[in-house]
Each structure stands twice: as C-alpha cells, then as structure tokens.
Amino acid sequence: MLACPAYNPPTITHPARVAFGQRQRMQLNPSIFKAYDIRGVLPSTLNASVAEGLGKAFGTQALAQGQRTVAVGRDGRLSGPELSAALIRGLVAAGVQVIDIGMVTTPMLYFAASTLCASGIQVTGSHNPKDYNGFKMVLGGRAIYGDEIQGLRQMMEAESWQLPGGGSVTRTDVLADYTRRIVGDIRLARPMKIVIDSGNGIAGASAPDIFRALGCEVVELFSAVDGEFPNHHPDPSKPENLQDLIAALKSTGAELGLAFDGDGDRLGIVTADGQNIYPDRQMQLFAQDVLSRVPGGTILFDVKCSQRLGPAIEAAGGKPLMYKTGHSLIKARMKAVEAAGGQAPLGGEMSGHIFFKERWYGFDDGTYAGARLLEIVSRSPDANAVLHALPTSFSTPELNVACAEGEPHSVTRALQAQAASTFRAPARVCDIDGLRVDWPDGFGLIRASNTTPVLVLRFEGQTESALHRIEADMLALLRSVKPDAQIQAAAH
C-alpha cells in the first residue's frame, strides 16, 4: 500500500517590525500558497506587489536550474493585465528572458513551455469566483507543487532573490501553432454538429475556431471573454453550469455539447439528451482508444474516480494506477512511470483534467481532450450511443465537510487509523490520499482537500441500495472521529 504523507505547510515566521525609515518587507498571506498553485482574492490577499515578488523569486529559481527563458500567459480575468505586467517586471529584474504570449488558455501556456522553452507561468484564477486570480507554474518541464511552492513563498518573505538584471521581453502569438498542432493530429471520421459553452472564459477565444477547423459545425454559447462571467460560472463540474448547454442541445439538434472551465484546462461533455458524461466515464473511452496503440500502458487516475474505471482499463489491455488527486501530482507520477522505463500514455482526474501523453505533451488541455473525444465518437454513426454505453454507477456528487484550518489532515489520519478495524473483508482499504474503501459493489472516499480547509467526500454504488449502505458506513466512521461533521455540496 502506498503511503501518503500529509501536506502540512511550514510554520511561517513573519518579519519583525522595522525601524522608521527602513523599507518594510513584503507582507504575504500564507493562505495563497496552495498545494498545486498560488491563488488569492484581489486585492486583499493578492496584488501587483505579490506578483512582482513571485516573478523575482521564480526567476531566481529558474536561473539556478539553468532555465533562462520563461513564457508568461494570462486568462481573461479583469485583474490579469496588471498581475501579468507585474510578474514580468519581477522576472526581468531577475535576469530572465520572458516570452509574453498574452491572453491565452492555460494549456496554451503549457504548449509554449513545451515548444518554445521549458518553463512558464500562467496568471489564472482557474474556476474560482471572479475576484480570484493566481498562478500556475512550470519549471524545467515540470508542474511545480508542494514544497517547491513553499520555497517560493519563503524566498518572497525573506526577499532572498538574486536580481542581476539583464532580462528582456519578447511578445509571441502561439495560437496559430497551437491550432495547427491540434488540427494536424486529429481526424474526424465525419462532420459533427456540436455546441460549445465557454462560460465567458478564455477558451471562448480559441476553442470554437479550432473545432471548426476540425470539420465541426459549432454553435457557440458565451464565447466572448468576460471576467465578470455574466451568464454562469465557468466550471463544468457543477451541473447548474450546464443548463444553458443542455437547452441549446435540445433547441439546435446538435449531437454533443462541450463545456470548458475558466482557463480551458478542464472539459465537460453533455449528450444530446442532457446527460453529463463525467470525466471518469470519459477516461474509459480514452483508455480503450489509447491502449489500442500502446498495449500494456499504465493509465493513471485519481482516487475520486469510479470503481468501474480500473476494470475497464484492464479489459482494454492496460495497467490501472490509482493515485492522489491533484493535476500536478498526476503529471509528476506519469513522468515517474516513464522515468522507470514504463509507458504512461494517459492520465485523468474526476475534476476534468485529462492528460494525454500519447500524441500530445502530457499536460491537461480541455480543447485537445474534446478533440480526441470527437475523433473517437465520430467513427460511429451515433455518438450518443457510444457514450451512453459506457458503464456507470449510482453516485453522489462531490460533497464537502467544512473544517478548521489544519483539521482535515488530522481527521483523515484518524480515519486511516481506524479503518482496518472498522472495515472487514471483502472491503479493501486504500490510504494513498485520505481514506478510500472499496467493496465489490462500490466505494467510499473521504480525503483532505489540499486547497481549502474542507474534507472531500464521494460515494458510489453499483446499485442504489449499495450506494446508501456505503455512504452510511463511511459517514458513521467520520462522525465517530468528527461528531460535528456537516455534509454539504462542494463549493467552487
């Protein structure tokens, strides 16, 4: 069984008061330094000063690792231009050669950091509310996370960066090359009529035209990039954000609907009859396709995914590997599998991050994942029948239990300690990321979020009665550890 060390941010020592006339060091709110990225609220916890400091710290780290060039992009949030400009100032001060690719999806930033250089920073609030923004970072071809992000925080607090100067900025448009790369890779067997809902996120500036170039007839919803998100929130993992897409599918007679999140790295799929094909079901289809060309490959997925996914991977000739939740963690694990001599052609998360290494670069990209899905289903005269035939179960949506700061990890450790004596065979206990217990007819999961102080819960059963039994058993264990647990729907 894989051990999963708890993520406990280091204790922060704030700078002492300084004498009158002495420059005050940067004040940082430690809550913005998440497990996989940096994310905060404008202007209370994140501002241009923080962005410039990050540029200086990241630039110092990049040069120390021999990375002289860093690509910078931003999504469509209103604070993006100010934060991006400040970030670039910091990088230039640190001596970095900056490639400014402007307003792009996060996958387009990853594309630049895979083709023009090996490092990059995207200014993005992802799917968070409109007053948020943040930074997703790639250094030397790796998405950085955990201790590396805390190392940036420590350098920013101490202002221990190196600022030799000598940096520069060049501006480059990567959309044409990115489009050409996708269109050159994807072959639809027949034309398809689709609806694309970009939710006024940055994907609206590129995705509709890319799918038209692939041969699709595209009905657009909310493609205008607008950081106010005036129609609905750009988060396809929430059913309430798919209602306009479902209505448009009915009114237009389109075959399928595609929905993207705010920065374009996650994909939602809706059938003509309004059924949401969740990412763990999409992964079954992707795995079958990829494994037809990479037999025996290792397919990664996170602990929130359906119990049906592993057997589907095995049936297609692959090796299923369940791992911790977190896009940076999945990408790092895929690299580790390949470094050990294996093949990891595909990975995916229940959140909608899909990572294609076969024919692509290994980063999560909603547009590319959507194109790969259409390539597969276009081979059938009835795309919806292909998707409806994917095995499914009865399941809850993602649920949360609010906790005090630092409490989620202590609760999950207590749950792990009690699990072996609580659940008997045929139950199988996995503690790779919180507590997941699998029965022959379903599973339950309780894990600590690495981004907010909540417990994340998900339950699945192959029948409704199995679902209710599993949910009751897992909640009974939870309440034996945390009697005041209040279950609620997951927030953004």
Side-chain angles (χ1 to χ4, degrees):
M1 184 178 296
L2 288 170
C4 179
Y7 173 73
N8 294 310
T11 302
I12 294 168
T13 302
H14 289 286
R17 293 183 179 275
V18 294
F20 178 76
Q22 187 176 348
R23 186 172 62 85
Q24 177 71 51
R25 283 184 170 179
M26 177 182 302
Q27 296 299 301
L28 292 176
N29 187 317
S31 70
I32 69 175
F33 295 88
K34 310 295 186 183
Y36 321 123
D37 54 30
I38 296 171
R39 203 179 304 175
V41 178
L42 276 293
S44 59
T45 63
L46 187 61
N47 54 39
S49 175
V50 173
E52 186 169 348
L54 174 63
K56 294 173 181 177
F58 187 92
T60 299
Q61 295 279 33
L63 289 173
Q65 296 185 28
Q67 298 292 315
R68 303 198 60 82
T69 305
V70 176
V72 173
R74 57 183 170 85
D75 69 12
R77 288 173 184 261
L78 302 180
S79 57
E82 179 187 13
L83 293 179
S84 178
L87 175 70
I88 289 172
R89 283 198 303 273
L91 289 165
V92 169
V96 167
Q97 315 306 310
V98 175
I99 302 175
D100 180 3
I101 63 171
M103 194 167 70
V104 295
T105 64
T106 294
M108 289 169 69
L109 181 279
Y110 293 155
F111 177 78
S114 299
T115 57
L116 301 178
C117 55
S119 300
I121 304 178
Q122 175 78 350
V123 181
T124 175
S126 187
H127 60 280
N128 283 95
K130 64 182 182 181
D131 54 343
Y132 279 72
N133 215 325
F135 309 91
K136 293 182 179 179
M137 297 164 284
V138 177
L139 181 56
R142 299 177 300 103
I144 67 170
Y145 61 92
D147 290 343
E148 290 177 289
I149 290 178
Q150 293 303 316
L152 291 171
R153 173 187 64 78
Q154 291 158 2
M155 183 179 289
M156 291 167 70
E157 285 180 335
E159 298 188 5
S160 56
W161 43 56
Q162 302 296 314
L163 304 178
S168 66
V169 183
T170 58
R171 290 173 176 79
T172 301
D173 186 346
V174 299
L175 177 58
D177 286 342
Y178 174 76
T179 300
R180 199 156 36 242
R181 178 65 175 80
I182 294 177
V183 173
D185 179 71
I186 302 295
R187 291 288 179 268
L188 268 58
R190 59 180 176 82
M192 298 184 70
K193 181 177 181 179
I194 62 172
V195 181
I196 292 180
D197 184 346
S198 301
N200 299 110
I202 187 59
S206 57
D209 286 341
I210 289 173
F211 283 95
R212 287 192 180 97
L214 291 172
C216 294
E217 178 184 348
V218 178
V219 178
E220 296 185 46
L221 293 179
F222 317 131
S223 295
V225 180
D226 185 343
E228 294 287 351
F229 306 126
N231 294 289
H232 63 73
H233 201 69
D235 182 357
S237 69
K238 307 296 181 189
E240 62 268 24
N241 297 325
L242 300 175
Q243 297 310 304
D244 293 307
L245 182 57
I246 291 170
L249 283 163
K250 291 178 179 177
S251 66
T252 63
E255 279 191 84
L256 291 175
L258 278 61
F260 300 107
D261 73 337
D263 65 334
D265 60 5
R266 295 191 297 142
L267 170 70
I269 295 289
V270 178
T271 59
D273 62 353
Q275 183 181 143
N276 185 356
I277 305 299
Y278 286 100
D280 51 359
R281 292 182 77 196
Q282 297 173 29
M283 280 290 292
Q284 296 177 42
L285 192 66
F286 291 140
Q288 292 166 11
D289 179 63
V290 168
L291 290 166
S292 71
R293 293 180 296 276
V294 190
T298 298
I299 309 298
L300 276 84
F301 55 93
D302 77 321
V303 294
K304 293 194 286 186
C305 284
S306 171
Q307 189 183 65
R308 296 191 181 268
L309 179 54
I313 292 168
E314 289 179 330
K319 301 171 187 172
L321 178 57
M322 185 167 65
Y323 200 57
K324 305 172 190 178
T325 291
H327 68 93
S328 298
L329 303 180
I330 295 284
K331 282 182 276 196
R333 185 62 175 154
M334 290 174 69
K335 286 180 178 289
V337 169
E338 299 209 324
Q343 290 182 296
L346 175 68
E349 288 190 290
M350 188 63 189
S351 62
H353 294 276
I354 307 293
F355 316 92
F356 284 95
K357 188 66 167 60
E358 189 246 1
R359 294 167 44 188
W360 195 240
Y361 302 92
F363 58 74
D364 35 336
D365 186 336
T367 297
Y368 183 74
R372 287 286 289 255
L373 184 131
L374 295 187
E375 180 180 67
I376 296 167
V377 299
S378 71
R379 299 168 190 155
S380 168
D382 188 343
N384 287 269
V386 174
L387 296 174
H388 288 145
L390 295 169
T392 189
S393 294
F394 297 90
S395 63
T396 64
E398 184 174 308
L399 304 171
N400 286 170
V401 173
C403 297
E405 195 70 45
E407 185 184 15
H409 288 286
S410 65
V411 170
T412 55
R413 285 194 292 271
L415 294 172
Q416 290 168 344
Q418 294 191 28
S421 59
T422 302
F423 301 114
R424 304 295 187 183
R428 290 179 293 113
V429 173
C430 174
D431 65 359
I432 189 174
D433 185 358
L435 176 65
R436 174 167 165 150
V437 184
D438 280 78
W439 287 267
D441 56 355
F443 81 92
L445 171 72
I446 304 174
R447 62 177 292 273
S449 169
N450 280 321
T451 55
T452 53
V454 299
L455 293 168
V456 177
L457 286 63
R458 187 162 188 257
F459 309 110
E460 175 184 277
Q462 294 182 17
T463 64
E464 280 193 271
S465 61
L467 171 62
H468 295 322
R469 186 196 78 242
I470 291 168
E471 184 173 4
D473 288 351
M474 294 291 287
L475 291 180
L477 176 62
L478 173 61
R479 291 195 168 108
S480 74
V481 172
K482 183 176 171 58
D484 62 344
Q486 297 293 317
I487 313 298
Q488 53 195 255
H492 291 302

